[in-house]
Amino acid sequence: MAFARLSALVAIALAASQTASAALTKRVTCSTGHVTANAACCALFPIVDQIQKDLFDGGECGEEAHSALRLVFHDAIGFSIHGGKGGGADGSILAFNKTETAFHANGGIDDITDRQFPVFLETGLTAGDFVHLAGAIGTANCPGAPRLEFKFGRPAPKAPAPDLTIPEPTDSVTKILARFADAGFSPSEAVALLASHTIAAADVIDTTIPGTPFDSTVGTFDSQVFLEVLLKGSLFPGNGAQTGEVLSPLHGEMRLQSDFAISQDPRTACFWQAMINNQQLMMAEFKAAMAKLQVLGQRNLIDCSDVVPVPKPFTSAIKFPATFSKKDVQIACPQLPFPNLATVAGPAPTVPPVSPRLLEWGDE
């Protein structure tokens, strides 16, 4: 019940904030015809169009969109509120890509930086502004995603982030939460950021099955991943057990060791379960956590959030995959009522791979 009240309060607060902001903000009409809250943002609208065309195939929730969101996390999390761990959301992962792509937790991320780097050079943006604008645009291409904020004006990064700042699938929940806390995030915010796994897939945990999704609706930003991580596992999708994965409930789907551990841990289990079939809560919590992530270590930025495209909504109820029901759920938060969900008709599904690379903050 507490989480239901939280969801309602979040929705009301967001609506009130947006209404008040619209009433108080003086709008500027750019030479392109776009309307924005700050004239400094006008230069970004043509760049948004360029990124959509050159990176995202005109606005698709595909490989590059998912990869752009992954890059946002891997760039920004190299930060500590206590100092000494890098510049945060400064674009260092793109500017110093030869250094940071060699980090163990960044396996395969050179595919992303190699694809983005020439487009970044054409835009004239700093590396930090490019990485975080591209991440917001790409996420907006996925139905159900919140419209992420974008703050403009990051200086060029000074140095690469240090290694060993990115959580990995083999880490314990205690280690993962400690790393998030060091960057300024609570356990609930860590769970909120993991909503990104709804459009994610693994490439190098099991190299025999690249593009293996984490849920059965990888093209939609919905709460299906929070449900399917809780289902009883019975198989590995590829060449047996690999480091960083645990048994999966569905053929063709991978379950990260860290995701499952977080879903079962008493410090995070209720936050995890609260996301299931609660699209508004998931969107609001993810948007808030991302707004915090994307300005780590940055100051005096201009709010240019209105250059970010508006995502298509997702209004359907999620369902158990065919042949599954509540009896298959490994409930770790008994104090929170589990939502009543229908089951998809038909035989147990096989989730198709996504080719060739998607988002995953803990890719191995």
Side-chain angles (χ1 to χ4, degrees), residues 134-327:
I137 296 168
T139 303
N141 293 337
C142 299
R147 188 188 194 191
L148 298 181
E149 296 180 8
F150 173 69
K151 303 296 175 65
F152 180 46
R154 294 168 181 77
K158 297 179 180 179
D163 199 357
L164 305 178
T165 58
I166 301 166
E168 301 201 45
T170 53
D171 290 343
S172 68
V173 177
T174 295
K175 184 175 181 180
I176 292 170
L177 294 183
R179 176 75 274 275
F180 273 103
D182 185 45
F185 293 90
S186 68
S188 62
E189 289 172 324
V191 172
L193 288 171
L194 288 173
S196 61
H197 284 185
T198 185
I199 54 170
D203 249 10
V204 296
I205 286 181
D206 186 337
T207 56
T208 68
I209 49 168
T212 304
F214 298 148
D215 77 12
S216 57
T217 58
V218 71
T220 305
F221 201 101
D222 58 26
S223 64
Q224 195 74 30
V225 68
F226 289 102
L227 170 64
E228 292 179 9
V229 166
L230 290 180
L231 298 179
K232 294 175 182 176
S234 60
L235 55 91
F236 291 105
N239 189 26
Q242 304 294 318
T243 301
E245 71 170 327
V246 295
L247 289 167
S248 169
L250 298 175
H251 289 278
E253 179 176 294
M254 182 176 289
R255 179 156 52 188
L256 291 180
Q257 175 183 319
S258 51
D259 279 0
F260 181 66
I262 288 170
S263 78
Q264 299 295 299
D265 192 278
R267 292 166 290 185
T268 46
C270 288
F271 296 118
W272 188 280
Q273 187 174 313
M275 298 291 191
I276 297 173
N277 207 33
N278 194 334
Q279 184 73 14
Q280 292 304 312
L281 177 64
M282 185 186 71
M283 290 170 62
E285 293 292 308
F286 180 70
K287 179 173 182 173
M290 284 294 293
K292 187 172 177 178
L293 178 76
Q294 291 189 268
V295 296
L296 286 180
Q298 308 304 305
R299 302 176 63 183
N300 303 319
L301 301 181
I302 300 168
D303 189 351
C304 289
S305 300
D306 48 18
V307 308
V308 178
V310 178
K312 295 179 181 177
F314 174 80
T315 57
S316 303
I318 67 165
K319 297 180 179 181
F320 285 110
T323 75
F324 286 85
S325 66
K326 186 176 178 180
K327 65 179 175 55

Side-chain angles (χ1 to χ4, degrees), residues 89-90 125-134 150-154 301:
D90 61 357
L125 297 176
T126 63
D129 280 345
F130 183 88
V131 166
H132 294 277
L133 178 59
F150 173 69
K151 303 296 175 65
F152 180 46
R154 294 168 181 77
L301 301 181

Side-chain angles (χ1 to χ4, degrees), residues 25-177:
T25 302
K26 185 177 179 180
R27 312 298 289 173
V28 175
T29 301
C30 307
S31 61
T32 58
H34 295 95
V35 179
T36 178
N38 193 306
C41 306
C42 286
L44 295 176
F45 286 103
I47 294 174
V48 170
D49 292 340
Q50 180 183 357
I51 290 173
Q52 287 282 43
K53 177 175 67 72
D54 292 346
L55 282 183
F56 303 139
D57 300 317
E60 293 186 1
C61 179
E63 170 198 348
E64 290 296 338
H66 308 146
S67 298
L69 182 52
R70 183 192 182 207
L71 199 64
V72 165
F73 180 84
H74 283 239
D75 178 58
I77 201 64
F79 179 79
S80 171
I81 58 175
H82 307 292
K85 278 194 173 70
D90 61 357
S92 65
I93 199 166
L94 187 61
F96 301 102
N97 56 77
K98 298 305 181 186
T99 298
E100 293 197 30
T101 55
F103 296 167
H104 183 260
N106 285 339
I109 213 166
D110 56 329
D111 293 343
I112 310 169
T113 55
D114 288 350
R115 181 73 182 85
Q116 287 196 2
F117 197 79
V119 182
F120 149 63
L121 292 178
E122 290 177 3
T123 64
L125 297 176
T126 63
D129 280 345
F130 183 88
V131 166
H132 294 277
L133 178 59
I137 296 168
T139 303
N141 293 337
C142 299
R147 188 188 194 191
L148 298 181
E149 296 180 8
F150 173 69
K151 303 296 175 65
F152 180 46
R154 294 168 181 77
K158 297 179 180 179
D163 199 357
L164 305 178
T165 58
I166 301 166
E168 301 201 45
T170 53
D171 290 343
S172 68
V173 177
T174 295
K175 184 175 181 180
I176 292 170
L177 294 183

